[in-house]
Amino acid sequence: MKIAVVMDPISDIDFKKDSTLLLIYEAQKRNHDVFYIESKNLFFDGKDACALSSKITVKMDPKSWFSLDVANKIFLKDLDVIFMRQDPPFNMDYINNTYVLDSAEKNGVKVYNKPSSLRNFNEKISILEYPEFCTETIISSDKKLIFNFIDKYKDVVSKPLNLMGGQGIEKLNFSMNDLSDKLKKSTKNFKEKIMVQKFIERVYEGDKRILVINGRPSEYAVVRTPAMGEFKGNLAAGGIASIEKLNKIELAIASKIAPKLKERGILIAGLDIVGDFLTEINITCPTCFRELLDKKGINLMEEVFNFVES
């Protein structure tokens, strides 16, 4: 098959942790032709969805993990499968790329994850579809509403709605002298909505990433434990990874959500759970495949391609 991967520059990835590299490597092992498309290189030529693309070869070598052929213009309709692996920020550039991928999908190309779902299923707001699994939450840009929420719950966490990897996440309370300044910055002067949640003390034990492939959750979670003195366990923010089998509560949460993701055309997702609470449903570019493989010998990319090839 002709398989394309839309991603940010492969030269800038973290070789030890990058899940998209593992995806390309698995496709290559199965003798598919793999085409590399940087996220900036999707475009329309008239009504045709196109890209500047290079055939790519990868290897698991930390000194030299990829080589690219000369870039050429391709028509996306000539591909069989496209994986959208562009990292947030989820901004208009990202949304416009999903429109290009929509066009490819209409021409019979299988696109994962489904472009319309990427647009309509915000990774943070989407958890509110499952209120039974969520801690107390508001999403607002209003200063009074946010201050009242902090007054009620004392310690809270604020999160931007369009970033990743722990970027912009803050623990807040009224003892902070710069509380107003932090909120003013994160809400763009109280004009842009943010998520504010009651602080979950068990975050210091680590948050758990549960990968879901084609509606089926992995039986093991990647536990991301914060570094000393931190509360964010994101590996990009210095968290330490370990592997644990899902407990009953985690399995119940994952089992409820996973089939709904499949219905929306979401092949690859990552559920984040802190304590007993669902905190995020990652669908743009879920990671932690490498940690599962390196620490437990589980290669979930095999499940991805077993489905794609079927």
Side-chain angles (χ1 to χ4, degrees):
M1 288 192 292
K2 293 181 178 179
I3 295 176
V5 180
V6 179
M7 62 184 294
D8 298 308
I10 194 169
S11 57
D12 296 341
I13 66 171
D14 184 334
F15 170 83
K16 294 180 180 179
K17 297 179 181 179
D18 194 83
S19 295
T20 305
L21 178 63
L22 184 62
L23 184 153
I24 296 171
Y25 187 70
E26 184 66 28
Q28 181 179 288
K29 280 198 309 182
R30 296 176 181 234
N31 297 315
H32 299 300
D33 293 325
V34 187
F35 296 84
Y36 165 81
I37 302 172
E38 283 192 26
S39 53
K40 66 180 181 180
N41 288 333
L42 288 170
F43 64 96
F44 279 109
D45 185 349
K47 67 180 179 59
D48 293 317
C50 302
L52 295 178
S53 173
S54 306
K55 288 195 73 172
I56 187 171
T57 303
V58 299
K59 51 186 176 179
M60 293 305 181
D61 180 347
K63 295 181 180 178
S64 177
W65 58 83
F66 73 98
S67 60
L68 298 171
D69 290 351
V70 175
N72 291 292
K73 173 185 171 181
I74 64 170
F75 294 91
L76 299 189
K77 65 184 178 182
D78 294 332
L79 300 166
D80 298 300
V81 177
I82 300 173
F83 287 98
M84 176 53 157
R85 297 285 298 177
Q86 179 181 348
D87 281 332
F90 190 83
N91 52 19
M92 283 308 303
D93 175 64
Y94 197 111
I95 290 171
N96 288 334
N97 277 346
T98 69
Y99 294 136
V100 181
L101 296 175
D102 270 340
S103 179
E105 190 177 52
K106 290 173 184 175
N107 279 294
V109 183
K110 299 295 184 183
V111 183
Y112 304 113
N113 288 323
K114 189 175 180 66
S116 58
S117 291
L118 290 173
R119 282 197 302 275
N120 298 332
F121 197 81
N122 181 277
E123 296 187 316
K124 297 193 172 57
I125 297 174
S126 60
I127 68 170
L128 300 180
E129 294 186 19
Y130 306 94
E132 68 271 31
F133 301 140
C134 298
T135 189
E136 288 78 4
T137 302
I138 62 167
I139 295 174
S140 176
S141 60
D142 184 84
K143 183 176 182 179
K144 184 176 180 180
L145 284 174
I146 295 172
F147 271 60
N148 286 344
F149 188 86
I150 298 173
D151 184 53
K152 183 175 182 179
Y153 294 108
K154 310 312 177 188
D155 287 323
V156 305
V157 169
S158 68
K159 303 176 182 179
L161 299 176
N162 61 349
L163 298 179
M164 56 166 276
Q167 298 174 52
I169 295 178
E170 300 270 7
K171 182 182 179 184
L172 305 174
N173 55 54
F174 276 122
S175 68
M176 304 172 68
N177 293 327
D178 58 349
L179 175 61
S180 290
D181 291 337
K182 285 182 177 294
L183 286 172
K184 187 175 182 179
K185 180 179 179 181
S186 63
T187 60
K188 307 292 192 293
N189 199 24
F190 299 100
K191 294 178 181 178
E192 185 173 296
K193 290 179 176 62
I194 59 171
M195 172 177 277
V196 187
Q197 295 182 301
K198 180 181 177 181
F199 185 74
I200 305 168
E201 289 291 337
R202 287 181 62 187
V203 72
Y204 296 113
E205 301 170 14
D207 72 78
K208 296 186 179 182
R209 164 63 56 85
I210 302 170
L211 287 166
V212 177
I213 309 299
N214 192 34
R216 192 175 82 172
S218 171
E219 62 178 318
Y220 290 92
V222 178
V223 185
R224 300 172 296 184
T225 305
M228 186 67 68
E230 298 289 335
F231 72 93
K232 291 185 284 188
N234 307 76
L235 301 182
I240 300 167
S242 59
I243 309 297
E244 288 184 8
K245 197 162 187 175
L246 269 58
N247 62 35
K248 289 182 179 180
I249 292 175
E250 293 155 0
L251 183 59
I253 294 172
S255 298
K256 174 73 176 291
I257 297 171
K260 302 294 185 182
L261 297 174
K262 182 178 179 179
E263 290 173 7
R264 297 183 186 214
I266 298 170
L267 174 61
I268 303 172
L271 310 182
D272 289 347
I273 293 177
V274 176
D276 297 336
F277 297 105
L278 176 69
T279 59
E280 199 162 320
I281 303 175
N282 291 267
I283 65 167
T284 51
C285 191
T287 61
C288 289
F289 285 83
R290 295 290 295 273
E291 287 74 17
L292 267 180
L293 178 60
D294 294 343
K295 295 180 179 295
K296 195 68 180 177
I298 298 171
N299 184 3
L300 288 182
M301 285 302 174
E302 292 180 349
E303 289 191 26
V304 170
F305 280 92
N306 288 344
F307 170 77
V308 168
E309 291 174 345
S310 69

